[in-house]
């Protein structure tokens, strides 16, 4: 795959031309924060952002989506999004999260709705220029990324190094005015990436990510779950802002004829009361501390068991900022367990 250099002006021209022919969602200011939104002009794009309010997962798993419609006579029609789109400005930790979700949604059960959107997407990722106040991706080994993106951009001052990661990215990059990246350009990129591997670390984990499953193995009855959960509002914000939380609820709703209708799925979250409620009003995780504990076990044990040990917290830090009582920070919880239980 090609590694090119593109000047800032050539990049702006490239994006403005792309917008004419494709739907592009790029990172833009939203008040004092940033988020992905339809891009109307290259000048609105902010690749120097710190962190987006919501992760890009909603482009693949919308907050609410109609899976199918039914006519009440035994016929149904599946509903798929067919639009191609470009996602511009995905940070490495969010790219890692998308790579994890791709496995989750295609491994045991191939989720056609998620995978259709994923295959329709072209992802242009970018290395972090401005660390957010709570990022700890470096502690999780996810401050940089080497796969999943179609193009990876690194700002080297007088332009970008643009690496194509797929044939799709190669073809897209061929539309831009570029030169081959030289040794000096690549050295600047390497320096920025090495710095990020150290500096995206506002909360420092006291162990290796690979120690976490074993730590949790011994922590099921630890008092930290009850202690922290005492102030938990069960608001689910830590789930909503997390790029690796993907739980959903599926519900049918009927039209006025009480026969036809639609089946929809919406985001759900394991911290919410009622998340585990099943038929007959049975709820197998009604205790707040159990729900609080479950989130950490899911990030640090259950999902890694499915993903060859990869921890499903990428260190974006969004939950840290979103949690009003300040109890959601995974680093604080894991460090407490390291202090109390030690490492084996
Ligand atoms: S648990 Fe928190 S820090 Fe980790 S990926 Fe989710 S939102 Fe980001
Ligand atoms: S841990 Fe914090 S963000 Fe998560 S549900 Fe509890 S109060 Fe809300």
């Amino acid at each position: 795959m090609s590694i090119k250099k593109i000047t800032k002006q050539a990049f702006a021209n490239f994006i403005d031309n792309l917008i004419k022919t494709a739907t592009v969602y790029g990172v833009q200011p939203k008040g004092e924060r940033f988020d992905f939104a339809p891009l109307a002009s290259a000048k609105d794009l902010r690749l120097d952002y710190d962190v987006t309010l919501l992760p890009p997962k909603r482009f693949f798993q919308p907050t609410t989506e109609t899976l199918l419609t039914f006519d009440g006579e035994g016929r149904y029609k599946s509903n798929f999004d067919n639009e191609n789109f470009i996602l511009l400005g995905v940070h490495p930790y969010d790219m890692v999260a998308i790579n994890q979700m791709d496995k989750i949604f295609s491994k045991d059960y191939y989720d056609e709705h998620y995978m259709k959107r994923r295959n329709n997407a072209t992802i242009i990722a970018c290395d972090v220029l401005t660390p957010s106040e709570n990022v700890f991706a470096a502690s999780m080994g996810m401050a940089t990324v080497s796969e999943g993106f179609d193009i990876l951009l690194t700002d080297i001052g007088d332009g970008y190094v643009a690496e194509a990661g797929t044939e799709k990215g190669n073809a897209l990059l061929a539309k831009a005015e570029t030169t081959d990246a030289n040794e000096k350009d690549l050295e600047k990129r390497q320096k920025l990436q090495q710095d990020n591997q150290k500096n995206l670390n506002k909360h420092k984990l006291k162990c290796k990510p690979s120690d976490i499953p074993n730590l949790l193995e011994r922590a099921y009855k630890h008092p930290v779950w009850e202690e922290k959960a005492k102030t938990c509002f069960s608001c689910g914000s830590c789930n909503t802002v997390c790029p690796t939380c993907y739980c959903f609820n599926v519900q049918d709703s009927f039209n006025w004829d009480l026969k036809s209708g639609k089946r929809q799925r919406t985001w759900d979250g394991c911290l919410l009361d009622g998340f585990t409620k099943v038929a007959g009003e049975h709820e197998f995780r009604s205790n707040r501390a159990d729900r609080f504990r479950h989130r950490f076990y899911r990030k640090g044990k259950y999902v890694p068991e499915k993903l060859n040990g990869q921890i499903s917290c990428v260190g974006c830090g969004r939950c840290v900022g979103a949690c009003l009582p300040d109890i959601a920070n995974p680093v604080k919880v894991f460090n407490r367990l390291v202090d109390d239980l030690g490492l084996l």
Side-chain angles (χ1 to χ4, degrees):
M1 297 295 159
S2 56
I3 302 188
K4 300 287 187 184
K5 160 115 183 254
I6 181 166
T7 65
K8 298 256 166 114
Q9 185 55 52
F11 180 72
N13 296 342
F14 170 57
I15 298 304
D16 281 332
N17 283 333
L18 273 186
I19 290 167
K20 289 181 195 151
T21 55
T23 304
V24 180
Y25 298 98
V27 179
Q28 296 164 69
K30 190 168 184 178
E32 291 178 354
R33 308 285 301 278
F34 296 94
D35 213 354
F36 288 92
L39 193 64
S41 164
K43 66 177 168 25
D44 299 333
L45 185 67
R46 286 287 300 274
L47 293 184
D48 62 340
Y49 74 98
D50 53 359
V51 65
T52 54
L53 282 164
L54 279 179
K57 67 178 177 182
R58 69 184 190 276
F59 292 97
F60 310 112
Q61 187 195 357
T63 49
T64 299
E65 66 176 310
T66 299
L67 298 175
L68 58 87
T69 53
F70 49 87
D71 67 1
E73 306 290 340
R75 287 178 292 264
Y76 70 90
K77 193 166 172 278
S78 293
N79 186 59
F80 293 107
D81 273 353
N82 292 313
E83 190 193 32
N84 291 329
F85 63 96
I86 295 170
L87 208 48
L88 175 51
V90 174
H91 272 169
Y93 48 78
D94 278 336
M95 191 65 243
V96 174
I98 293 170
N99 291 341
Q100 291 189 358
M101 290 308 97
D102 290 351
K103 291 196 184 95
I104 295 282
F105 279 97
S106 65
K107 209 173 157 205
D108 299 329
Y109 173 79
Y110 191 89
D111 188 302
E112 296 206 27
H113 298 272
Y114 174 97
M115 291 307 295
K116 186 100 181 156
R117 290 193 192 87
R118 183 64 186 89
N119 291 328
N120 288 343
T122 301
I123 298 182
I124 304 179
C126 69
D127 276 314
V128 178
L129 271 189
T130 314
S132 69
E133 67 175 308
N134 286 313
V135 67
F136 57 91
S139 268
M140 306 312 290
M142 295 165 186
T144 54
V145 67
S146 58
E147 60 180 9
F149 53 81
D150 295 292
I151 297 173
L152 173 67
L153 298 169
T154 312
D155 191 326
I156 54 166
D158 59 342
Y160 296 100
V161 170
E163 176 183 351
T166 61
E167 282 304 336
K168 201 161 35 167
N170 241 354
L172 193 62
L173 209 46
K175 295 181 182 172
E177 195 189 325
T178 58
T179 52
D180 285 337
N182 63 32
E183 213 170 302
K184 226 171 179 177
D185 300 327
L186 295 178
E187 271 170 21
K188 284 187 194 166
R189 175 172 93 146
Q190 193 182 16
K191 165 96 175 55
L192 186 137
Q193 291 179 340
Q194 282 172 346
D195 286 350
N196 279 353
Q197 281 161 7
K198 277 192 283 195
N199 300 337
L200 301 189
N201 214 9
K202 300 297 172 70
H203 305 275
K204 291 189 178 63
L205 190 64
K206 291 182 179 175
C207 63
K208 296 194 291 297
S210 56
D211 292 323
I212 293 172
N214 181 276
L215 197 59
L216 289 173
E217 184 77 45
R218 296 175 286 128
Y220 202 75
K221 297 205 166 132
H222 194 279
V224 72
W225 315 120
E226 285 286 349
E227 280 169 30
K228 297 251 181 204
K230 274 187 192 144
T231 55
C232 174
F233 299 131
S234 299
C235 64
S237 300
C238 50
N239 295 134
T240 308
V241 299
C242 180
T244 67
C245 276
Y246 59 87
C247 288
F248 54 80
N249 192 16
V250 176
Q251 273 186 322
D252 289 350
S253 59
F254 290 87
N255 297 327
W256 286 108
D257 61 9
L258 297 182
K259 285 193 330 193
S260 62
K262 61 187 173 190
R263 176 163 298 170
Q264 290 186 300
R265 76 170 160 193
T266 51
W267 285 8
D268 206 344
C270 58
L271 267 291
L272 296 170
D273 190 17
F275 176 72
T276 57
K277 194 177 271 180
V278 293
E281 294 293 298
H282 296 295
E283 190 169 357
F284 52 87
R285 218 178 289 127
S286 58
N287 181 299
R288 201 166 32 169
D290 290 349
R291 294 199 297 277
F292 184 83
R293 176 176 59 194
H294 178 79
R295 171 171 170 257
F296 292 90
Y297 272 71
R298 187 193 161 282
K299 303 277 172 218
K301 193 167 186 317
Y302 306 147
V303 174
E305 280 164 7
K306 277 175 168 280
L307 297 180
N308 293 330
Q310 211 178 112
I311 303 299
S312 100
C313 166
V314 295
C316 71
R318 289 184 181 95
C319 60
V320 182
C323 179
L324 283 180
D326 190 20
I327 52 171
N329 186 340
V331 173
K332 279 193 186 166
V333 170
F334 294 141
N335 282 352
R336 165 82 184 278
L337 296 178
V338 172
D339 289 344
D340 288 1
L341 303 175
L343 294 171
L344 293 182

